Amino acid sequence: MSTEQSFFQAVLSHVDHAARHLTLEPGLLEQIRVCNAVYRMRFPVEFDDGRIHVMEAYRAEHSYHRVPVKGGIRYAPDVNQDEVMALAALMTYKCALVGVPFGGGKGGVRIDPRAHSVRELERVTRRYAAELMRKNFLGPSVDVPAPDYGTGEREMAWIADTYRALREGELNADGCVTGKPLTMMGIAGRREATGLGVFFGIRESVNDAELMKELGLPTGIAGKRFVVQGLGNVGYYAAEALCGAGATLVGVAEIEGAIANPKGIDFDALIEYRKQKGTVLGFPGSEALAAPAAALELDCDILVPAALQDAITEANADRIRARIVGEGANGPVTPVADARLRDRGVLILPDIYLNAGGVTVSYFEWLKNLQHVSFERMTKRWSEQMNEHFCDTLERMTREKLTLDERRVLVHGPSERELVHSALENTMIYAFGALRQFAKARELPDLRTAAFAIAIQKVARCYEMSGIFP
Ligand code: GLU
C-alpha cells in the first residue's frame, strides 16, 4: 500500500519538518499552515457546438500575511481543491524566501486546454475572471494571478481585458494579473523568467565547492549531463540556458514520449524537429524510451523535473540515478521520495527556491504596472550620457582611444530585459547564499528544510508585526 499523502498534506509535512528547527508559538504556526480561503466555482460556458458545459474552477488564497496574494492559474483536466491549496501554500513560502512581498495564491480550471478551440478557451477564461471578481478574488491589491501549467500570455491578456472592462476607470487595473503580453503592459523577460531562474539556481549550486565535494562532482555547469522532464515554459528555458552554459542534454521527457542520447542532444535542433513533427520521438541519433517517465531514471548528473507534481514518488525514487534534482516544477518530489533520495545523498534543490524566478519577475511587472512606466524609460538615456562622459574622461586621462567596440560596451544603457535578467539573477544568487548560510548555521540536514524554515520565520515575523498579537 502507498504511504504517500495528498499534495497539500505533503506541503504541510515539509512545513512541520522545518518548524521543528524553529521556536514558534503553536497557534501562530497553525495560522501559517492553514489555507486562509478557497473559492470553488461552477459556471456555465457555451462551447462551439452550442451545448452548455458546467465548468469547475478554483482559486485558493493561502496567506494574507502580505497582500496582494500571488500565484498562477492552472488549466488541466484533473485540477482539484487539494492541488490548488498545496500550490497556493508553496507560493506563500516561495515569495517569503526570495523576498517578494506577496501572500500565496493559486487558481485552476478543470479543463484540458488542448481539447478546446481558442474561442472556447477565451470564453472559459473571461467567465472565470468575472467569477473571481464577483467575490473579490481578483485585483491589483487583493489577488494577482499569473500563468501556470496550461496557461500563458494569451490567457493573462483575456483576464486583464475582462477586469478592465468590468472595472471601468480603475487606475491600476493593469496590475490585476502578471505574465501579460508586452503590448498589454507586460514586462520584457517574464516569459523566460522561471526557466532562467532555475538555471541560475542550479549554477549557484554546482559552483558551490563544498556541495559538489559532498556529491563527488567537479564544480561548474560545463560538462554536466542533464535530463529535463517537460519542454513547457519552465523546462524549455532552463534547458536552453543550461546548454548555453556548456551542459550536455542527455534525455528529454514530454507528454508524447521520451528520448535519450548519452552523447548529447542538440537542443535547438530538437526544438525545431518537434515544431515540425509534433513529437520528440524519432529525433536523429536518439533512442526512444518505453514510457515518458523512464527518462527520469536515466544516468545523469542533474535531473530537472519541470512538468507537474508527483513526478518522483516512492514508486521510482530508488531508480533515480541523478546526483542533483532541480525542482523546476512545483512539488515534483513527494516527501517519501524526498527522504529516500536524501538517504542516498542526492542533492535536492527545492521548488520554493529553484522556480521562484517566475514570481520574482511577476513582482517587477506588477511594480511596472503600478508605476505606469517601464524601468528602462527613466534611466537608459541618462546612464548612456554619463557613460559617454566617463569614456571621454578615460580617453583624456590615458591619452588612448577606446575602440568602437569598447566604447559601445561601456556606453550601453540597460534595456528593460537586461534590468529584469540582472535583478532576477541577483535574487537567485542572494537567496542561495541565505539558504546555504542558514542551513550551515543551524546544521540543517538539507536545503528544503532550510528553505521552509527561512520562509516560515519570515511569515511569522510579518504576522507578529501586523498587530494580530498585540
Ligand atoms: N505559476 C508560477 C509559479 O508557480 C508563477 C506565479 C506568479 O508569477 O505569480 O511560481
Side-chain angles (χ1 to χ4, degrees):
M1 207 188 80
S2 166
T3 49
E4 304 276 12
Q5 311 147 301
S6 85
F7 192 6
F8 186 64
Q9 283 167 338
V11 176
L12 285 182
S13 85
H14 293 314
V15 171
D16 291 340
H17 190 68
R20 273 185 230 127
H21 300 271
L22 303 168
T23 334
L24 279 184
E25 203 273 319
L28 177 55
L29 176 59
E30 184 55 13
Q31 171 57 32
I32 293 171
R33 296 170 86 248
V34 295
C35 186
N36 286 188
V38 187
Y39 176 19
R40 172 180 179 270
M41 295 138 265
R42 306 296 301 262
F43 53 83
V45 173
E46 188 183 331
F47 283 173
D48 294 344
D49 61 5
R51 282 190 297 186
I52 308 242
H53 290 252
V54 180
M55 307 301 301
E56 180 177 336
Y58 300 88
R59 183 75 184 168
E61 297 185 339
H62 174 259
S63 176
Y64 300 133
H65 73 287
R66 285 213 191 273
V67 282
V69 297
K70 187 92 191 70
I73 291 172
R74 174 169 290 198
Y75 282 6
D78 50 2
V79 158
N80 59 74
Q81 181 169 332
D82 181 85
E83 179 183 19
V84 290
M85 281 165 60
L87 293 165
L90 288 175
M91 289 309 300
T92 293
Y93 304 114
K94 190 184 299 186
C95 290
L97 179 67
V98 295
V100 167
F102 297 136
K106 190 72 86 173
V109 180
R110 227 180 146 92
I111 188 172
D112 178 1
R114 289 168 307 156
H116 292 272
S117 69
V118 174
R119 285 164 49 83
E120 286 178 353
L121 289 172
E122 177 169 357
R123 283 200 291 274
V124 168
T125 307
R126 287 185 182 277
R127 180 64 191 253
Y128 175 62
E131 291 296 324
L132 290 175
M133 290 177 69
R134 195 197 283 278
K135 303 275 186 215
N136 203 25
F137 270 62
L138 177 66
S141 58
V142 286
D143 190 335
V144 183
D148 196 85
Y149 188 87
T151 63
E153 287 169 24
R154 182 183 63 182
E155 285 73 19
M156 302 308 117
W158 290 329
I159 293 173
D161 187 61
T162 305
Y163 185 83
R164 213 190 327 233
L166 298 176
R167 282 273 193 281
E168 177 78 55
E170 185 172 320
L171 184 60
N172 291 326
D174 287 332
C176 76
V177 64
T178 60
K180 302 180 291 294
L182 251 182
T183 47
M184 281 189 74
M185 281 299 270
I187 197 167
R190 173 63 184 87
R191 194 181 294 168
E192 64 271 31
T194 315
L196 204 54
V198 166
F199 164 72
F200 289 138
I202 293 176
R203 188 195 64 191
E204 288 312 292
S205 319
V206 300
N207 282 344
D208 186 312
E210 229 171 74
L211 278 181
M212 290 308 105
K213 198 168 161 218
E214 282 167 26
L215 294 177
L217 291 175
T219 55
I221 293 272
K224 293 268 184 312
R225 297 162 308 133
F226 78 101
V227 170
V228 65
Q229 180 201 31
L231 289 174
N233 192 47
V234 183
Y236 178 94
Y237 290 106
E240 186 182 54
L242 284 164
C243 289
T248 308
L249 178 62
V250 293
V252 175
E254 248 302 337
I255 240 160
E256 68 272 8
I259 55 165
N261 184 351
K263 293 203 199 88
I265 295 165
D266 179 334
F267 180 73
D268 294 336
L270 174 68
I271 296 304
E272 197 43 50
Y273 178 89
R274 188 165 186 248
K275 214 182 274 168
Q276 277 169 20
K277 308 261 167 155
T279 174
V280 293
L281 294 171
F283 181 66
S286 74
E287 172 205 344
L289 303 178
L296 300 168
E297 298 165 22
L298 288 169
D299 183 25
C300 63
D301 299 311
I302 308 168
L303 170 62
V304 184
L308 288 169
Q309 63 270 22
D310 298 345
I312 305 173
T313 66
E314 63 181 343
N316 60 354
D318 295 333
R319 295 196 300 271
I320 301 298
R321 284 189 275 172
R323 303 293 295 131
I324 302 171
V325 174
E327 295 187 335
N330 289 309
V333 179
T334 64
V336 179
D338 183 89
R340 298 240 186 115
L341 292 175
R342 275 190 286 122
D343 283 349
R344 288 202 284 118
V346 175
L347 172 67
I348 300 174
L349 306 174
D351 48 5
I352 62 168
Y353 164 64
L354 200 67
N355 71 32
V359 74
T360 300
V361 175
S362 276
Y363 170 43
F364 305 149
E365 179 175 334
W366 181 77
L367 290 175
K368 172 183 178 180
N369 296 156
L370 299 193
Q371 289 179 167
H372 300 267
V373 69
S374 84
F375 297 98
E376 159 185 334
R377 185 162 181 186
M378 296 307 289
T379 56
K380 191 171 169 66
R381 188 158 170 72
W382 187 84
S383 15
E384 287 182 349
Q385 282 172 334
M386 290 309 285
N387 294 343
E388 287 278 10
H389 280 309
F390 171 76
C391 289
D392 293 345
T393 313
L394 191 70
E395 285 186 343
R396 212 179 47 243
M397 290 175 76
T398 58
R399 293 203 180 90
E400 274 186 45
K401 273 250 167 267
L402 291 162
T403 66
L404 276 180
D405 264 358
E406 284 167 342
R407 185 170 269 270
R408 201 167 27 90
V409 170
L410 288 172
V411 164
H412 170 81
S415 66
E416 181 170 84
R417 186 180 304 277
E418 287 165 323
L419 286 169
V420 161
H421 282 183
S422 76
L424 166 64
E425 182 172 13
N426 186 52
T427 302
M428 297 306 291
I429 292 175
Y430 187 84
F432 184 77
L435 254 183
R436 283 288 283 148
Q437 215 175 5
F438 192 88
K440 275 194 225 172
R442 307 260 179 145
E443 294 177 3
L444 297 179
D446 62 302
L447 292 180
R448 194 191 310 278
T449 308
F452 271 94
I454 295 176
I456 293 167
Q457 210 171 44
K458 287 197 187 175
V459 177
R461 265 192 214 131
C462 231
Y463 273 121
E464 283 162 356
M465 297 295 167
S466 70
I468 291 174
F469 303 100

